[in-house]
Amino acid sequence: MRNGTKPAPSPSPEDSPEPETLSQRPRPREAAAMPANATEPTGYTRVFAVREFRAVFAAHALSLLGVVVSEIALTVLVYDLTGSPLLGALTFALGMLPYVVGGTLLSGVADRYPPRRVLVVCDAVCAGCAALMALPATPVAGLLALRCVIALVAPVFNGTRMATLTDILGDGDLFVLGRSLLRIVSQSSVLVGFGLGGVLLTVVTPRGALAITVCTFAASALLLRCGTRRRPARGSGDAALVRHSLGGARQVLGDRRVRALLLLFWVPPMFLVVPEALAAPYADEIGVGVTGVGLLMCAMPVGTIAGELYAGSALSASARARIVLPLASLTLAPLTVYAVTPGLVPALAALALAGAGSAYTLGLDRWFVDAVPEGLRGRAMTVHTAGLMTIQGVGMALAGLAAEFCAVSTVVTAAGVIGTVCCLLLVAEVRRTTESRDGADQHVTGG
């Protein structure tokens, strides 16, 4: 937990043991957002009609702002103190590396304790770490260690928040739209967060910027504490936390369908980060300068936001389900245009199109929630978050390594080709698990 204290398990008698198998999926439900006689809003408006979601949305934006600004400020601060580009880069990388540790060893926190308590404590730990970073007496080693602590609890926070959305919005279409809105905020942070952080550092010192992030994390904690209801823990267990977490991870990854869905979440982003990681050398390769680097970095997030907004507002739930597998199969195909070393405009179009293909995740979110029992959702979604961040870090590292030996255009093209083959194989596996599940359901019904 973030503040170093270990909250006691909820004694609520409503807690029930987790299901023995993942095949016992809960039936989808929708949150009662409005009175029955009211005119039902459409699209994303339905989600904002839920008061608790508005609090979660605002808290997400504030917490994300704190993370982005702290990453920039801390990277600048470490570089100023040491003059080492390696340590400066390592400071940024530490925001991703501990995800796999926290997501694997601490995922049990998301199901074992009341979700609101977990979220508030996580934000409080981030605020405490930022406050310690802002102190002039904190050495570089301490700064790096505190950065690791924030990254360690991040997957627990994100996984718990994802699971909490099913409590607030139900596990039907409202959940899908709510998840989509949170992803849009995250993608938007790529576009405006770093620019805002850079402007902030022209006004205050890096430690001053870190002090500001203390306020954003604290405000997020306050919103979650006052704006959401207290709910009991989803699961229970007497096992040690690490064993409980590892057991949940084994249960999640051991189920064929859940594993296939997770890989379909993880694999496309692993390859999509390649052109972003190599934006600077590719801009140099085609001679477009620093402005080109910024545009290449922004193109994919713009496409992602546009695709999510269209799928969430213009498509029905059944239509979003129908496009999952075709879109997942083709989302990496636009990267193959790098085979002809395109200029800036064609490259931007290809990246935006690849980003728009990420809209397949809206339908996939619904499938994933339906496949995971309620008592396991916190751990499953924490594993999902940790795996997603880790595999993107792996993709960036492999892209950089490959670019040491091959032209950037060749590396991005290879990512498009290999990634598409991997996605086609995963799509086939998801189809097989769907047919297997439907066959089992028919057998039970017919019996």
Side-chain angles (χ1 to χ4, degrees):
M1 300 295 291
R2 290 192 182 188
N3 64 357
T5 61
K6 182 177 180 181
S10 171
S12 171
E14 298 174 3
D15 292 351
S16 58
E18 63 189 38
E20 294 182 358
T21 65
L22 299 189
S23 61
Q24 299 171 338
R25 297 184 300 274
R27 294 179 63 83
R29 62 187 186 277
E30 294 288 349
M34 299 187 67
N37 60 351
T39 302
E40 183 181 3
T42 59
Y44 289 110
T45 309
R46 288 185 295 159
V47 187
F48 282 115
V50 182
R51 182 188 62 80
E52 280 190 278
F53 177 77
R54 295 197 296 270
V56 171
F57 181 84
H60 174 62
L62 285 169
S63 183
L64 193 62
L65 178 63
V67 169
V68 171
V69 172
S70 66
E71 284 179 346
I72 300 171
L74 191 59
T75 300
V76 173
L77 178 60
V78 170
Y79 181 74
D80 288 345
L81 292 174
T82 64
S84 169
L86 174 62
L87 285 177
L90 179 62
T91 303
F92 199 84
L94 286 175
M96 300 180 69
L97 296 178
Y99 258 75
V100 67
V101 178
T104 303
L105 301 183
L106 301 178
S107 63
V109 171
D111 286 325
R112 179 172 283 193
Y113 304 109
R116 186 179 69 177
R117 185 192 302 174
V118 174
L119 294 174
V120 171
V121 169
C122 284
D123 264 332
V125 169
C126 284
C129 288
L132 291 173
M133 290 175 184
L135 296 177
T138 305
V140 172
L143 294 173
L144 298 179
L146 291 167
R147 183 73 184 95
C148 284
V149 172
I150 292 178
L152 196 65
V153 299
V156 177
F157 179 84
N158 293 331
T160 303
R161 184 182 59 212
M162 285 173 61
T164 300
L165 281 185
T166 64
D167 299 326
I168 296 173
L169 301 174
D171 50 14
D173 198 44
L174 284 184
F175 166 79
V176 172
L177 295 175
R179 279 280 295 139
S180 173
L181 281 170
L182 296 188
R183 274 196 301 265
I184 288 171
V185 172
S186 298
Q187 288 293 327
S188 299
S189 72
V190 177
L191 300 177
V192 302
F194 290 113
L196 181 61
V199 171
L200 183 62
L201 289 175
T202 64
V203 181
V204 299
T205 65
R207 291 193 190 274
L210 288 168
I212 292 174
T213 65
V214 176
C215 300
T216 65
F217 286 126
S220 174
L222 186 63
L223 275 170
L224 292 170
R225 177 63 182 81
C226 300
T228 60
R229 292 196 298 110
R230 185 192 184 281
R231 295 176 172 87
R234 292 176 191 83
S236 60
D238 298 325
L241 176 59
V242 171
R243 190 165 63 216
H244 184 62
S245 301
L246 291 175
R250 281 193 298 268
Q251 199 173 351
V252 169
L253 297 175
D255 182 89
R256 182 181 178 186
R257 178 163 176 79
V258 175
R259 183 174 62 247
L261 296 176
L262 278 174
L263 288 173
L264 200 57
F265 274 118
W266 292 346
V267 170
M270 177 183 180
F271 293 96
L272 284 172
V273 298
V274 171
E276 292 183 317
L278 301 178
Y282 187 71
D284 184 60
E285 187 174 314
I286 62 176
V288 294
V290 177
T291 302
V293 175
L295 292 174
L296 290 169
M297 290 289 289
C298 291
M300 196 174 292
V302 168
T304 301
I305 293 170
E308 290 247 0
L309 285 173
Y310 177 77
S313 58
L315 300 182
S316 65
S318 58
R320 291 195 293 269
R322 287 195 298 270
I323 67 172
V324 171
L325 299 184
L327 209 54
S329 301
L330 299 174
T331 187
L332 293 166
L335 300 186
T336 57
V337 76
Y338 274 71
V340 297
T341 315
L344 181 60
V345 173
L348 293 176
L351 293 175
L353 187 60
S358 297
Y360 78 90
T361 55
L362 275 78
L364 195 60
D365 276 332
R366 176 66 181 272
W367 294 356
F368 185 67
V369 169
D370 286 349
V372 178
E374 186 173 356
L376 194 63
R377 280 181 185 165
R379 281 171 287 173
M381 292 180 176
T382 301
V383 169
H384 166 22
T385 301
L388 183 62
M389 292 298 293
T390 301
I391 204 164
Q392 288 182 87
V394 170
M396 291 179 184
L398 292 177
L401 179 63
E404 290 290 327
F405 304 97
C406 305
V408 173
S409 54
T410 302
V411 175
V412 178
T413 303
V417 173
I418 297 171
T420 299
V421 171
C422 291
C423 287
L424 290 171
L425 294 174
L426 283 173
V427 164
E429 173 65 5
V430 170
R431 282 201 174 102
R432 284 192 291 268
T433 63
T434 303
E435 293 167 359
S436 174
R437 181 196 62 180
D438 291 344
D441 291 344
Q442 290 172 7
H443 176 72
V444 171
T445 303

